[in-house]
Amino acid sequence: MNIDTDTQWAYWDGLRTFYENKKGYLQSQIGNPDGPSKPNKKFYDPRVWVREAEKGMIKRVTEALEQLGAVGKW
């Protein structure tokens, strides 16, 4: 287990997954699958996609803590 590399990948994978799921909303500031004049700010706001990346890292760290028998031991 290389937790540093694993968490880097988990962070990236969370971001990549967000992009793939919201691709139609991330091509311009205005205009998306919901309509040509619909805004996309809530999708490209860094707080949104950074949070999705963080969720991926949280999941991987939780798995590592379980595998190492460290859950609840701090």
Side-chain angles (χ1 to χ4, degrees):
M1 171 187 311
N2 183 331
I3 196 66
D4 181 50
T5 300
D6 288 357
T7 54
Q8 288 173 359
W9 178 259
Y11 190 92
W12 159 247
D13 194 45
L15 177 55
R16 182 191 58 79
T17 300
F18 174 78
Y19 176 78
E20 290 299 325
N21 290 337
K22 305 297 183 189
K23 193 173 189 174
Y25 299 88
L26 299 169
Q27 304 306 309
S28 64
Q29 287 183 310
I30 298 178
N32 62 48
D34 297 330
S37 62
K38 298 287 185 175
N40 297 316
K41 183 173 172 64
K42 66 182 178 181
F43 299 101
Y44 66 79
D45 182 339
R47 294 170 293 186
V48 174
W49 53 263
V50 166
R51 181 65 183 141
E52 293 304 311
E54 289 171 342
K55 286 179 185 178
M57 186 182 288
I58 290 167
K59 181 180 174 191
R60 180 59 186 105
V61 170
T62 300
E63 291 171 3
L65 290 172
E66 290 169 354
Q67 292 170 347
L68 296 168
V71 174
K73 294 190 178 183
W74 48 58

